[in-house]
Amino acid sequence: LSFGENEGLPGQSWRAKSVVWVRDLKAADAPRLPRSQLAIDCGFRASVSIPVLSGAEVVAVLVFLVGRHRPADARYTQMIQVAANQVGAVIERRRAQRQYEEEILRARDAAQAASQAKSEFLSRMSHELRTPLNSVIGFANVLRKNRSGGLEKDDLTYLDRIASNGRHLLTLVNNVLDIAKVEAGRLTVTSGLLGVDEVLL
């Protein structure tokens, strides 16, 4: 059954955030609750309603129906208060667990998005770096041929150094690009014959 705020015994207890006793459902001064007659027809004479709190929020209401007229008993009230507190603690733990799980999922999604963005950035950056590096290496090689004969020995040494360092940097960029492709799931594998001595060099 569902109850609106202040509707019936559960609704009153929900709104007041406190225990509500009806000592005798048949008494003339008993509150006329929507389902009082149904409870009386089932043989109940008294009822007590207690809110279940999760923090300061009421999350449920426990209603106990008693088969005989019963005065508001402090010991009985304390007993059902303990039960309500335990239910509230279980609900609070479940809420905290759900919130923790949602935060874990959000953190996982954020980490995956960051990793994907990093991989895409590295892939694009590597492509952008390879083009000018190939130009530097290519033009250095053209100049090293010294077809006009205008370059001195020191000039050729500098060009050798430019070409060598350019190739080294290109290798590093290619390695970064391969790693980015692996992480992005776009690495293509090419099969072919390869000499072992070439691998060891």
Side-chain angles (χ1 to χ4, degrees):
L1 297 175
S2 59
F3 294 82
E5 186 177 308
N6 212 30
E7 179 189 353
L9 189 60
Q12 290 180 12
S13 186
W14 188 295
R15 184 174 183 180
K17 291 187 179 181
S18 63
V19 177
V20 176
W21 275 92
V22 178
R23 297 178 181 86
D24 188 351
L25 292 169
K26 290 184 176 181
D29 61 345
R32 293 297 92 196
L33 302 171
R35 293 163 187 83
S36 293
Q37 191 57 50
L38 178 61
I40 292 169
D41 293 343
C42 290
F44 296 110
R45 289 292 306 277
S47 66
V48 60
S49 178
I50 186 164
V52 175
L53 299 174
S54 177
E57 179 188 2
V58 178
V59 293
V61 175
L62 297 179
V63 177
F64 296 87
L65 297 169
V66 186
R68 60 186 175 83
H69 167 69
R70 184 181 190 112
D73 184 330
R75 185 169 170 275
Y76 189 73
T77 301
Q78 185 179 18
M79 214 165 53
I80 60 175
Q81 181 75 60
V82 169
N85 289 343
Q86 290 175 343
V87 172
V90 169
I91 293 172
E92 182 65 27
R93 278 197 303 272
R94 183 65 191 116
R95 279 182 162 185
Q97 181 182 356
R98 189 180 300 121
Q99 183 180 0
Y100 175 74
E101 289 169 355
E102 289 172 356
E103 288 173 358
I104 289 291
L105 291 176
R106 280 196 297 271
R108 182 204 64 187
D109 293 343
Q112 287 177 343
S115 178
Q116 182 68 24
K118 179 202 72 175
S119 298
E120 290 177 2
F121 168 76
L122 288 176
S123 179
R124 290 197 183 109
M125 179 205 72
S126 300
H127 278 299
E128 293 297 323
L129 285 175
R130 281 206 305 181
T131 302
L133 269 175
N134 282 323
S135 296
V136 169
I137 295 167
F139 283 119
N141 288 333
V142 169
L143 290 172
R144 281 170 62 207
K145 292 178 181 177
N146 196 18
R147 288 186 178 164
S148 65
L151 296 175
E152 301 293 334
K153 184 178 178 182
D154 285 347
D155 297 330
L156 295 174
T157 302
Y158 297 150
L159 287 171
D160 285 342
R161 202 169 290 170
I162 290 171
S164 174
N165 289 337
R167 284 192 299 272
H168 176 68
L169 187 54
L170 184 60
T171 300
L172 295 177
V173 169
N174 285 335
N175 290 341
V176 170
L177 183 58
D178 287 342
I179 292 170
K181 282 182 178 179
V182 169
E183 290 183 346
R186 294 198 302 264
L187 183 67
T188 54
V189 179
T190 304
S191 60
L193 296 176
L194 181 67
V196 177
D197 55 338
E198 295 177 20
V199 177
L200 296 176
L201 289 177

